[in-house]
Each structure stands twice: as structure tokens, then as C-alpha cells.
Amino acid sequence: FQTVSGGVNTPAFSARKSGDLTGISDATYTKVTGWSEIFDSGSVWDNGNSKFLPGVVGKYLISATAYMSHVGNAHSRLSVYLNGSVIEEVQYTPGSDSQTPQNIVCVANVTNTSDYIELYVHQPSGQTGYVYSSGIKNQFSGFKIIGA
């Protein structure tokens, strides 16, 4: 990624979900696993552990889409974690049962070269959920913001 000002937006990665993530426990945050790398500048995507390891201090734009099962009138959540703690979360409460994409975009402040970023989902109590692998509907990406 090159900008007009001459900087580069690396390290950067993008991964696509490969295979359904089934049996997500109710009322528990579950890491989204089973990704296939689309690109990885700087070898920063750890496919085996489903995490982004930037290795460079700075601010990173993180985006993700998860095509999830939802239970009517109950909260489903998609969350970005930094070093094991949630830094951003979106919630969806449908009027009826559905399967729809949930999207999140945030900035992660990476302050240590060992920091890592992961994606989690949360299903409501009493329900078992899914993240479906419908090709491009599930994607997890990140890149360094220049000058930040």
C-alpha cells in the first residue's frame, strides 16, 4: 500500500474464512479460527493461531466481517481483541432468527512489538452459534496507519 505522501501502510494482512466455525458456545467469547491468508506483507499473519502480529509499534486500522447466525431479540457480538482484551465491539439484535454479516472497523494502538490482534464472536445465552464460510463474506484485515 503506497500513499501520495510517499509512506507505506505496512505491515498489512488480509485473511478469508475457510470453513464454518460451528458450535460456538453460548454466553462465551469464542475466537474466530480457520482462516486462509489472502496477502501478508511482512509475515505478520499467524494462520495457525488466527492472529495478527504487527511487530511494529503504531496505530493500525482493523476491519472484519463475520457472517453469523443470530437469534431473534438476543444480542450477537463481533469483537476485536488486543493482547487478549476487547478494544472494540459491535452488537446486533435482530427481530427474528437470521444469518447476516456483522461488520467492525476500529483502530488498534500497538505499543509493543509483541502485541497481537484477534477476532472474537459472542452468542447470546442459551444459544449455540455459527460463523459461516461463505467466501468473501468473512474477512479479517489490518494495516499500519501512516503518520499515526
Side-chain angles (χ1 to χ4, degrees), residues 84-104:
S85 297
V86 66
I87 60 168
E88 190 68 43
E89 183 171 76
V90 294
Q91 178 175 288
Y92 179 64
T93 308
S96 60
D97 292 1
S98 65
Q99 294 83 37
T100 58
Q102 206 162 328
N103 304 297
I104 191 166

Side-chain angles (χ1 to χ4, degrees), residues 2-3 9 13-14 28 62 64 76 83 88-89 91 97 108-109 113-114 124 133 141 146-148:
Q2 192 78 23
T3 66
N9 294 96
F13 85 99
S14 187
T28 303
I62 306 297
S76 297
N83 300 327
E88 190 68 43
E89 183 171 76
Q91 178 175 288
D97 292 1
N109 187 21
T113 57
S114 62
S133 64
S141 304
I146 296 173

Side-chain angles (χ1 to χ4, degrees), residues 6-30:
V8 292
N9 294 96
T10 57
F13 85 99
S14 187
R16 180 173 295 138
K17 190 84 181 71
S18 60
D20 292 346
L21 179 61
T22 60
I24 297 169
S25 298
D26 69 331
T28 303
Y29 284 89
T30 302

Side-chain angles (χ1 to χ4, degrees), residues 15-92:
R16 180 173 295 138
K17 190 84 181 71
S18 60
D20 292 346
L21 179 61
T22 60
I24 297 169
S25 298
D26 69 331
T28 303
Y29 284 89
T30 302
K31 184 160 85 167
V32 181
T33 59
W35 299 94
S36 293
E37 185 178 287
I38 298 171
F39 70 85
D40 180 4
S41 70
S43 298
V44 293
W45 174 247
D46 180 348
N47 204 55
N49 293 304
S50 300
K51 61 174 70 171
F52 176 35
L53 305 159
V56 177
V57 171
K59 292 180 178 47
Y60 289 79
L61 185 68
I62 306 297
S63 65
T65 300
Y67 193 73
M68 298 171 59
S69 60
H70 304 285
V71 178
N73 300 314
H75 308 303
S76 297
R77 297 181 178 108
L78 179 62
S79 308
V80 174
Y81 275 54
L82 175 65
N83 300 327
S85 297
V86 66
I87 60 168
E88 190 68 43
E89 183 171 76
V90 294
Q91 178 175 288
Y92 179 64

